[in-house]
Amino acid sequence: MSAARRPRTRRTALVTVLCAAVALGATACGPFSDDAKPAASGPFGDLTGPQIANKAIAATKKADSLTLDLATKTTDGPMKAYLAMDTGGKCAGTLTVGTTGTAELIKADDKDVYLRFDEAFLRAQGEGEPAEVQAAILKELKGRWVKTPVTDPDAKDNLELCDLESLLGDFEQGVNLAVKGKETTVGGKKALTLTEKSGGETTTLYVATQGEPHILKVVTAGGEEPGTMSFTDYGKPVEAKAPAAKDVVSEKKTG
């Protein structure tokens, strides 16, 4: 398979989606605003919105592992990601770009990443090619994992959302603005909302109010790239095991 036909996950678009969905304190993502006076009651007492946001960022960055569930609309079409990751470098889940076609991903160590593309994804990659080329792509890759060294540029693209440290680094600088909202529940867990409105876009951050103040969900409504990003399974071990050798084909072999 030539480089032009190699299945990809559009790293740049995915990272853009991440920043648009989070809208938190990194330079690339921008801060929240908080013109409201600090409330004297509630799960975080007298803490202001920015103080709560910073606590949530710190707690989330300390997590050993979590699962990212991303669903959004972009100018390139709908995108989804469901990835379990940990600070040890393990990552496993799925990436979907467009209305059809999904790639499974496994990173069990610091050496290789494995990707398995469903038939819809492979057919989309072979679109416009002669029938014999499309047939060869399906024969070679359908049901099989493509093994690529993590140092390969394409692998780095595909692993962008698997880097927990990098992902949480978007929160590192903290926020200086955030409006405290109502208490609610997210996935059965009690949470406090922090909201920012900018133009026609509203971004709501949900922070756990019991146990560690983890970020549970971020929802962006309106704007050009509305979507939802959820963080679940904090501290849960990531199941990421390299596929059996008989089910693997190296990227070098695919060309």
Side-chain angles (χ1 to χ4, degrees):
M1 184 185 298
S2 68
R5 296 194 302 273
R6 187 181 297 128
R8 299 175 184 270
T9 57
R10 301 185 188 179
R11 171 192 62 81
T12 302
L14 283 170
V15 174
T16 299
V17 170
L18 182 63
C19 284
V22 177
L24 282 175
T27 301
C29 298
F32 278 91
S33 64
D34 185 3
D35 296 324
K37 295 181 180 179
S41 62
F44 292 101
D46 292 338
L47 293 183
T48 65
Q51 289 172 327
I52 298 170
N54 279 308
K55 284 180 66 70
I57 292 166
T60 302
K61 284 183 63 65
K62 290 179 181 179
D64 292 329
S65 63
L66 56 78
T67 296
L68 168 68
D69 189 351
L70 172 71
T72 188
K73 294 180 180 179
T74 74
T75 54
D76 293 325
M79 289 188 179
K80 293 183 179 181
Y82 188 82
L83 297 166
M85 64 197 77
D86 64 21
T87 53
K90 290 184 178 180
C91 186
T94 59
L95 298 167
T96 302
V97 179
T99 56
T100 60
T102 296
E104 297 175 75
L105 180 151
I106 295 176
K107 179 176 178 287
D109 52 37
D110 293 329
K111 296 181 180 180
D112 303 297
V113 57
Y114 301 85
L115 289 165
R116 181 166 65 182
F117 307 95
D118 65 9
E119 184 170 341
F121 202 116
L122 293 173
R123 288 189 179 281
Q125 292 299 313
E127 188 175 356
E129 297 288 352
E132 60 270 21
V133 173
Q134 295 184 39
I137 292 174
L138 289 174
K139 181 179 179 180
E140 181 74 16
L141 297 180
K142 184 179 179 181
R144 304 185 73 187
W145 296 86
V146 177
K147 177 182 177 180
T148 308
V150 295
T151 54
D152 185 276
D154 289 331
K156 291 181 179 179
D157 287 351
N158 292 322
L159 291 171
E160 187 71 34
L161 291 179
C162 281
D163 187 343
L164 183 58
E165 185 65 27
S166 176
L167 178 65
L168 298 181
D170 286 338
F171 306 98
E172 187 171 8
Q173 296 181 28
V175 292
N176 55 11
L177 303 163
V179 178
K180 292 172 68 173
K182 297 180 179 179
E183 293 181 60
T184 184
T185 59
V186 175
K189 296 182 178 180
K190 294 184 178 180
L192 179 72
T193 59
L194 300 173
T195 305
E196 180 224 6
K197 294 183 179 181
S198 177
E201 183 176 283
T202 300
T203 301
T204 304
L205 175 72
Y206 296 80
V207 179
T209 61
Q210 295 180 330
E212 293 293 327
H214 290 139
I215 298 171
L216 299 179
K217 184 168 69 172
V218 179
V219 178
T220 301
E224 297 182 353
E225 296 185 335
T228 299
M229 182 168 61
S230 299
F231 294 98
T232 60
D233 295 333
Y234 279 95
K236 182 178 180 180
V238 176
E239 299 296 331
K241 184 178 180 181
K246 64 181 180 63
D247 298 324
V248 175
V249 57
S250 70
E251 188 180 42
K252 290 182 179 180
K253 183 178 179 180
T254 66

